[in-house]
Amino acid sequence: MTSLPVITPAILCGGYGTRLWPLSRKSYPKQFVPLLDEGTLFQASARRLSGEGPGFAFDAPMLLTSSDFRFLVSEQLMEIGIDPGAILLEPSGRNTAPAVLVAALCQARKDPQGILLVAPSDHAIPDTAPFHAAVARGLEAVERGELVTFGITPDRPETAYGYLELSALPAGDGAPIPLAGFREKPDRAGAEAMLAAGTYLWNAGIFLFRAADMIAAYEAHAPGLIAPVRAALEEAETDLGFLRLAPEPWAEAENISVDYAVMEKAENLSAVPLEAAWSDLGDWQAIWGASARDETGVATRGAVTAIGCRDSLLRSEAPELELVGIGLENILVVAMQDSVLVADMSRAQDVKLAVEALKKKGAAQAESFPKVHRPWGWFEGLVLGPRFQVKRIMVRPGAALSLQSHFHRAEHWVVVEGTARVTVDDEVRLVTENQSAYIPTGAVHRLENPGKVPVVVIEVQTGSYVGEDDIIRYEDVYARE
């Protein structure tokens, strides 16, 4: 066992993003999507907050997420070989102040002096070494009972970020500096003045502290949050290895950020300058800036052909869709199988307006992803008609769908990859590639993967109604209703 100071990462991974639509949607937000490489931002965050740093070691990560993503976070951690600690399920989004407090209270159950590093799951920090060095320097202030935040040394007058104002010029050694205050996103002139002053950092929203010190800060500056958040934790229920916070007291907690609730009022607050590449990847222009680009400034991903284009981002997220751009300049194009975004790069922040417009017209693309992730795998719709639907279903090795039946539809399964175990009423049999099974309306049935490779099935549904809510579950290993 290591004798180094141990830090428990608390990763916030329950948010929903709209500015990276159509790739990021409410049902599958940006932290779980491969944006820059084959891994996801959440996986990169978990890797960055694991192992050992200079003079400290990370414990298993604590995760704070929503019920919708509980199996997704487990699956993505399993893919990179990281075992999580506590996984806390927030019944509803209440911003970062309740989330940080419940993490501190949870840590205090084990050790009130335990150290937590709270970090978002959707930021990109390509170089881990300077980040770990900054964390090590922050520990010096934590040992003095201070709350530590991390700020990015700005390299341009950025108007999209909030700022941290330092009480003194950084000495260049990266040591913690007492914080003078938080500053909202400035206009262009304000950002230029902040950059020239040299006493401002971009607010990265990353915090390091002892659990007892953060709880004391809430008691002093946000006492109204203590009772509902503590009750939500004390009344939490264990569910398949997850800790489901009690919804009633959680709903009583104020919806407020930790900056507004505590950090802007605390006096024992220091900031550690972080001189490293960093981005919150908040919009497509930021993705373009963080992507590999050719000599004309064009970044591409997927099946893309760019002819005479400059300073543009072209992404095809559907393997069967070939995206061709001709003579584009300062344009972003993101093509998916169910939607295409085309915008001037300077309007990247306005993508959220498109999502709002789609919601108003009732378009499913506003929030729903074409590939729907489930704890057992995923499915995607291929064809939808008035009395039929065709889906592709992938079941992970060892996984199983619920034992279920339908009132209004029959199903026909054709196995195209792997070997499935199929239950239809009292009959259980193996169905291999190029074989099929028919499930009559009302039959009790289940699809399982008993093998070591994924099973892929083409499902044809026919009937008077083919909605996802036409389902009765009798048994479910994932405890869904």
PDB file of all heavy atoms in Angstrom, residues 152-178:
ATOM      1  N   ILE A 152      -6.369  28.326 -15.806  1.00  0.00           N
ATOM      2  CA  ILE A 152      -5.531  28.150 -16.988  1.00  0.00           C
ATOM      3  C   ILE A 152      -4.895  29.486 -17.359  1.00  0.00           C
ATOM      4  O   ILE A 152      -5.588  30.507 -17.480  1.00  0.00           O
ATOM      5  CB  ILE A 152      -6.354  27.630 -18.181  1.00  0.00           C
ATOM      6  CG1 ILE A 152      -7.202  26.412 -17.764  1.00  0.00           C
ATOM      7  CG2 ILE A 152      -5.444  27.295 -19.344  1.00  0.00           C
ATOM      8  CD1 ILE A 152      -6.405  25.252 -17.221  1.00  0.00           C
ATOM      9  N   THR A 153      -3.585  29.494 -17.513  1.00  0.00           N
ATOM     10  CA  THR A 153      -2.898  30.709 -17.939  1.00  0.00           C
ATOM     11  C   THR A 153      -3.357  31.072 -19.348  1.00  0.00           C
ATOM     12  O   THR A 153      -3.158  30.312 -20.292  1.00  0.00           O
ATOM     13  CB  THR A 153      -1.374  30.503 -17.927  1.00  0.00           C
ATOM     14  OG1 THR A 153      -0.968  30.113 -16.611  1.00  0.00           O
ATOM     15  CG2 THR A 153      -0.655  31.780 -18.323  1.00  0.00           C
ATOM     16  N   PRO A 154      -4.011  32.221 -19.536  1.00  0.00           N
ATOM     17  CA  PRO A 154      -4.592  32.547 -20.844  1.00  0.00           C
ATOM     18  C   PRO A 154      -3.519  32.898 -21.870  1.00  0.00           C
ATOM     19  O   PRO A 154      -2.485  33.487 -21.542  1.00  0.00           O
ATOM     20  CB  PRO A 154      -5.488  33.753 -20.545  1.00  0.00           C
ATOM     21  CG  PRO A 154      -4.891  34.377 -19.331  1.00  0.00           C
ATOM     22  CD  PRO A 154      -4.289  33.263 -18.532  1.00  0.00           C
ATOM     23  N   ASP A 155      -3.780  32.531 -23.117  1.00  0.00           N
ATOM     24  CA  ASP A 155      -2.876  32.879 -24.204  1.00  0.00           C
ATOM     25  C   ASP A 155      -3.548  33.764 -25.251  1.00  0.00           C
ATOM     26  O   ASP A 155      -2.978  34.054 -26.299  1.00  0.00           O
ATOM     27  CB  ASP A 155      -2.320  31.613 -24.866  1.00  0.00           C
ATOM     28  CG  ASP A 155      -3.420  30.710 -25.428  1.00  0.00           C
ATOM     29  OD1 ASP A 155      -4.610  31.107 -25.410  1.00  0.00           O
ATOM     30  OD2 ASP A 155      -3.092  29.585 -25.869  1.00  0.00           O
ATOM     31  N   ARG A 156      -4.773  34.199 -24.939  1.00  0.00           N
ATOM     32  CA  ARG A 156      -5.513  35.068 -25.863  1.00  0.00           C
ATOM     33  C   ARG A 156      -6.639  35.734 -25.071  1.00  0.00           C
ATOM     34  O   ARG A 156      -7.042  35.245 -24.001  1.00  0.00           O
ATOM     35  CB  ARG A 156      -6.097  34.260 -27.031  1.00  0.00           C
ATOM     36  CG  ARG A 156      -7.104  33.206 -26.604  1.00  0.00           C
ATOM     37  CD  ARG A 156      -7.569  32.353 -27.780  1.00  0.00           C
ATOM     38  NE  ARG A 156      -8.609  31.397 -27.371  1.00  0.00           N
ATOM     39  CZ  ARG A 156      -8.364  30.220 -26.817  1.00  0.00           C
ATOM     40  NH1 ARG A 156      -7.125  29.838 -26.575  1.00  0.00           N
ATOM     41  NH2 ARG A 156      -9.371  29.410 -26.496  1.00  0.00           N
ATOM     42  N   PRO A 157      -7.197  36.817 -25.566  1.00  0.00           N
ATOM     43  CA  PRO A 157      -8.305  37.494 -24.881  1.00  0.00           C
ATOM     44  C   PRO A 157      -9.628  36.763 -25.145  1.00  0.00           C
ATOM     45  O   PRO A 157     -10.397  37.131 -26.032  1.00  0.00           O
ATOM     46  CB  PRO A 157      -8.291  38.898 -25.482  1.00  0.00           C
ATOM     47  CG  PRO A 157      -7.711  38.709 -26.848  1.00  0.00           C
ATOM     48  CD  PRO A 157      -6.710  37.600 -26.732  1.00  0.00           C
ATOM     49  N   GLU A 158      -9.905  35.728 -24.371  1.00  0.00           N
ATOM     50  CA  GLU A 158     -11.056  34.863 -24.601  1.00  0.00           C
ATOM     51  C   GLU A 158     -12.300  35.407 -23.889  1.00  0.00           C
ATOM     52  O   GLU A 158     -12.261  35.748 -22.699  1.00  0.00           O
ATOM     53  CB  GLU A 158     -10.737  33.454 -24.075  1.00  0.00           C
ATOM     54  CG  GLU A 158     -11.837  32.437 -24.258  1.00  0.00           C
ATOM     55  CD  GLU A 158     -12.232  32.274 -25.713  1.00  0.00           C
ATOM     56  OE1 GLU A 158     -11.393  31.791 -26.504  1.00  0.00           O
ATOM     57  OE2 GLU A 158     -13.373  32.637 -26.033  1.00  0.00           O
ATOM     58  N   THR A 159     -13.404  35.504 -24.626  1.00  0.00           N
ATOM     59  CA  THR A 159     -14.659  36.011 -24.055  1.00  0.00           C
ATOM     60  C   THR A 159     -15.637  34.899 -23.692  1.00  0.00           C
ATOM     61  O   THR A 159     -16.703  35.178 -23.142  1.00  0.00           O
ATOM     62  CB  THR A 159     -15.337  36.962 -25.046  1.00  0.00           C
ATOM     63  OG1 THR A 159     -15.632  36.247 -26.264  1.00  0.00           O
ATOM     64  CG2 THR A 159     -14.444  38.151 -25.365  1.00  0.00           C
ATOM     65  N   ALA A 160     -15.285  33.637 -23.972  1.00  0.00           N
ATOM     66  CA  ALA A 160     -16.208  32.532 -23.721  1.00  0.00           C
ATOM     67  C   ALA A 160     -16.018  31.902 -22.351  1.00  0.00           C
ATOM     68  O   ALA A 160     -16.789  31.030 -21.973  1.00  0.00           O
ATOM     69  CB  ALA A 160     -16.043  31.459 -24.804  1.00  0.00           C
ATOM     70  N   TYR A 161     -14.994  32.313 -21.602  1.00  0.00           N
ATOM     71  CA  TYR A 161     -14.704  31.721 -20.306  1.00  0.00           C
ATOM     72  C   TYR A 161     -14.868  32.749 -19.190  1.00  0.00           C
ATOM     73  O   TYR A 161     -14.634  33.944 -19.370  1.00  0.00           O
ATOM     74  CB  TYR A 161     -13.265  31.181 -20.250  1.00  0.00           C
ATOM     75  CG  TYR A 161     -12.930  30.165 -21.291  1.00  0.00           C
ATOM     76  CD1 TYR A 161     -11.648  30.100 -21.840  1.00  0.00           C
ATOM     77  CD2 TYR A 161     -13.876  29.244 -21.752  1.00  0.00           C
ATOM     78  CE1 TYR A 161     -11.316  29.153 -22.799  1.00  0.00           C
ATOM     79  CE2 TYR A 161     -13.558  28.303 -22.709  1.00  0.00           C
ATOM     80  CZ  TYR A 161     -12.277  28.265 -23.238  1.00  0.00           C
ATOM     81  OH  TYR A 161     -11.958  27.329 -24.185  1.00  0.00           O
ATOM     82  N   GLY A 162     -15.201  32.232 -17.984  1.00  0.00           N
ATOM     83  CA  GLY A 162     -15.088  33.041 -16.794  1.00  0.00           C
ATOM     84  C   GLY A 162     -13.634  33.101 -16.354  1.00  0.00           C
ATOM     85  O   GLY A 162     -12.805  32.292 -16.792  1.00  0.00           O
ATOM     86  N   TYR A 163     -13.294  34.067 -15.493  1.00  0.00           N
ATOM     87  CA  TYR A 163     -11.902  34.284 -15.091  1.00  0.00           C
ATOM     88  C   TYR A 163     -11.765  34.221 -13.572  1.00  0.00           C
ATOM     89  O   TYR A 163     -12.712  34.490 -12.820  1.00  0.00           O
ATOM     90  CB  TYR A 163     -11.408  35.647 -15.581  1.00  0.00           C
ATOM     91  CG  TYR A 163     -11.061  35.697 -17.055  1.00  0.00           C
ATOM     92  CD1 TYR A 163     -12.063  35.660 -18.017  1.00  0.00           C
ATOM     93  CD2 TYR A 163      -9.742  35.789 -17.484  1.00  0.00           C
ATOM     94  CE1 TYR A 163     -11.759  35.725 -19.373  1.00  0.00           C
ATOM     95  CE2 TYR A 163      -9.426  35.860 -18.831  1.00  0.00           C
ATOM     96  CZ  TYR A 163     -10.439  35.819 -19.771  1.00  0.00           C
ATOM     97  OH  TYR A 163     -10.130  35.879 -21.116  1.00  0.00           O
ATOM     98  N   LEU A 164     -10.547  33.881 -13.122  1.00  0.00           N
ATOM     99  CA  LEU A 164     -10.138  33.975 -11.728  1.00  0.00           C
ATOM    100  C   LEU A 164      -9.182  35.151 -11.598  1.00  0.00           C
ATOM    101  O   LEU A 164      -8.204  35.245 -12.351  1.00  0.00           O
ATOM    102  CB  LEU A 164      -9.425  32.689 -11.284  1.00  0.00           C
ATOM    103  CG  LEU A 164     -10.163  31.361 -11.487  1.00  0.00           C
ATOM    104  CD1 LEU A 164      -9.241  30.205 -11.156  1.00  0.00           C
ATOM    105  CD2 LEU A 164     -11.418  31.314 -10.631  1.00  0.00           C
ATOM    106  N   GLU A 165      -9.444  36.063 -10.649  1.00  0.00           N
ATOM    107  CA  GLU A 165      -8.536  37.179 -10.416  1.00  0.00           C
ATOM    108  C   GLU A 165      -7.613  36.843  -9.252  1.00  0.00           C
ATOM    109  O   GLU A 165      -8.066  36.551  -8.141  1.00  0.00           O
ATOM    110  CB  GLU A 165      -9.303  38.460 -10.101  1.00  0.00           C
ATOM    111  CG  GLU A 165      -8.373  39.655  -9.923  1.00  0.00           C
ATOM    112  CD  GLU A 165      -9.102  40.939  -9.604  1.00  0.00           C
ATOM    113  OE1 GLU A 165     -10.349  40.920  -9.505  1.00  0.00           O
ATOM    114  OE2 GLU A 165      -8.417  41.983  -9.444  1.00  0.00           O
ATOM    115  N   LEU A 166      -6.314  36.858  -9.512  1.00  0.00           N
ATOM    116  CA  LEU A 166      -5.324  36.556  -8.484  1.00  0.00           C
ATOM    117  C   LEU A 166      -4.998  37.805  -7.676  1.00  0.00           C
ATOM    118  O   LEU A 166      -5.093  38.930  -8.182  1.00  0.00           O
ATOM    119  CB  LEU A 166      -4.053  36.009  -9.132  1.00  0.00           C
ATOM    120  CG  LEU A 166      -4.218  34.786 -10.053  1.00  0.00           C
ATOM    121  CD1 LEU A 166      -2.888  34.431 -10.705  1.00  0.00           C
ATOM    122  CD2 LEU A 166      -4.759  33.602  -9.270  1.00  0.00           C
ATOM    123  N   SER A 167      -4.564  37.582  -6.436  1.00  0.00           N
ATOM    124  CA  SER A 167      -4.199  38.715  -5.584  1.00  0.00           C
ATOM    125  C   SER A 167      -2.801  39.230  -5.888  1.00  0.00           C
ATOM    126  O   SER A 167      -2.412  40.301  -5.399  1.00  0.00           O
ATOM    127  CB  SER A 167      -4.290  38.309  -4.117  1.00  0.00           C
ATOM    128  OG  SER A 167      -3.409  37.225  -3.845  1.00  0.00           O
ATOM    129  N   ALA A 168      -2.035  38.497  -6.684  1.00  0.00           N
ATOM    130  CA  ALA A 168      -0.675  38.921  -7.040  1.00  0.00           C
ATOM    131  C   ALA A 168      -0.289  38.288  -8.370  1.00  0.00           C
ATOM    132  O   ALA A 168      -0.896  37.309  -8.818  1.00  0.00           O
ATOM    133  CB  ALA A 168       0.316  38.499  -5.943  1.00  0.00           C
ATOM    134  N   LEU A 169       0.716  38.858  -8.999  1.00  0.00           N
ATOM    135  CA  LEU A 169       1.240  38.280 -10.235  1.00  0.00           C
ATOM    136  C   LEU A 169       1.860  36.919  -9.950  1.00  0.00           C
ATOM    137  O   LEU A 169       2.558  36.746  -8.940  1.00  0.00           O
ATOM    138  CB  LEU A 169       2.303  39.196 -10.847  1.00  0.00           C
ATOM    139  CG  LEU A 169       1.812  40.356 -11.713  1.00  0.00           C
ATOM    140  CD1 LEU A 169       2.977  41.298 -12.008  1.00  0.00           C
ATOM    141  CD2 LEU A 169       1.206  39.836 -13.012  1.00  0.00           C
ATOM    142  N   PRO A 170       1.613  35.926 -10.800  1.00  0.00           N
ATOM    143  CA  PRO A 170       2.285  34.639 -10.616  1.00  0.00           C
ATOM    144  C   PRO A 170       3.796  34.808 -10.688  1.00  0.00           C
ATOM    145  O   PRO A 170       4.314  35.577 -11.508  1.00  0.00           O
ATOM    146  CB  PRO A 170       1.762  33.801 -11.785  1.00  0.00           C
ATOM    147  CG  PRO A 170       0.487  34.453 -12.201  1.00  0.00           C
ATOM    148  CD  PRO A 170       0.682  35.913 -11.941  1.00  0.00           C
ATOM    149  N   ALA A 171       4.504  34.082  -9.810  1.00  0.00           N
ATOM    150  CA  ALA A 171       5.966  34.184  -9.777  1.00  0.00           C
ATOM    151  C   ALA A 171       6.629  33.278 -10.791  1.00  0.00           C
ATOM    152  O   ALA A 171       7.854  33.305 -10.942  1.00  0.00           O
ATOM    153  CB  ALA A 171       6.469  33.856  -8.375  1.00  0.00           C
ATOM    154  N   GLY A 172       5.840  32.460 -11.475  1.00  0.00           N
ATOM    155  CA  GLY A 172       6.396  31.551 -12.468  1.00  0.00           C
ATOM    156  C   GLY A 172       6.733  30.187 -11.927  1.00  0.00           C
ATOM    157  O   GLY A 172       7.143  29.303 -12.679  1.00  0.00           O
ATOM    158  N   ASP A 173       6.548  29.989 -10.607  1.00  0.00           N
ATOM    159  CA  ASP A 173       6.856  28.682 -10.021  1.00  0.00           C
ATOM    160  C   ASP A 173       5.618  27.812  -9.855  1.00  0.00           C
ATOM    161  O   ASP A 173       5.705  26.685  -9.365  1.00  0.00           O
ATOM    162  CB  ASP A 173       7.536  28.862  -8.660  1.00  0.00           C
ATOM    163  CG  ASP A 173       6.693  29.694  -7.688  1.00  0.00           C
ATOM    164  OD1 ASP A 173       5.581  30.117  -8.075  1.00  0.00           O
ATOM    165  OD2 ASP A 173       7.154  29.913  -6.547  1.00  0.00           O
ATOM    166  N   GLY A 174       4.437  28.320 -10.251  1.00  0.00           N
ATOM    167  CA  GLY A 174       3.211  27.543 -10.177  1.00  0.00           C
ATOM    168  C   GLY A 174       2.644  27.415  -8.783  1.00  0.00           C
ATOM    169  O   GLY A 174       1.709  26.634  -8.569  1.00  0.00           O
ATOM    170  N   ALA A 175       3.168  28.138  -7.814  1.00  0.00           N
ATOM    171  CA  ALA A 175       2.703  28.024  -6.432  1.00  0.00           C
ATOM    172  C   ALA A 175       1.291  28.589  -6.293  1.00  0.00           C
ATOM    173  O   ALA A 175       0.895  29.489  -7.038  1.00  0.00           O
ATOM    174  CB  ALA A 175       3.660  28.757  -5.496  1.00  0.00           C
ATOM    175  N   PRO A 176       0.518  28.066  -5.333  1.00  0.00           N
ATOM    176  CA  PRO A 176      -0.828  28.597  -5.097  1.00  0.00           C
ATOM    177  C   PRO A 176      -0.778  30.074  -4.723  1.00  0.00           C
ATOM    178  O   PRO A 176       0.109  30.522  -3.998  1.00  0.00           O
ATOM    179  CB  PRO A 176      -1.351  27.752  -3.930  1.00  0.00           C
ATOM    180  CG  PRO A 176      -0.521  26.506  -3.949  1.00  0.00           C
ATOM    181  CD  PRO A 176       0.826  26.922  -4.451  1.00  0.00           C
ATOM    182  N   ILE A 177      -1.760  30.828  -5.228  1.00  0.00           N
ATOM    183  CA  ILE A 177      -1.844  32.269  -4.984  1.00  0.00           C
ATOM    184  C   ILE A 177      -3.230  32.575  -4.420  1.00  0.00           C
ATOM    185  O   ILE A 177      -4.232  32.103  -4.967  1.00  0.00           O
ATOM    186  CB  ILE A 177      -1.614  33.059  -6.289  1.00  0.00           C
ATOM    187  CG1 ILE A 177      -0.259  32.711  -6.894  1.00  0.00           C
ATOM    188  CG2 ILE A 177      -1.736  34.561  -6.041  1.00  0.00           C
ATOM    189  CD1 ILE A 177      -0.057  33.277  -8.284  1.00  0.00           C
ATOM    190  N   PRO A 178      -3.326  33.339  -3.338  1.00  0.00           N
ATOM    191  CA  PRO A 178      -4.651  33.704  -2.826  1.00  0.00           C
ATOM    192  C   PRO A 178      -5.501  34.351  -3.908  1.00  0.00           C
ATOM    193  O   PRO A 178      -5.009  35.140  -4.725  1.00  0.00           O
ATOM    194  CB  PRO A 178      -4.329  34.688  -1.695  1.00  0.00           C
ATOM    195  CG  PRO A 178      -2.950  34.296  -1.248  1.00  0.00           C
ATOM    196  CD  PRO A 178      -2.234  33.866  -2.501  1.00  0.00           C
TER     197      PRO A 178
END
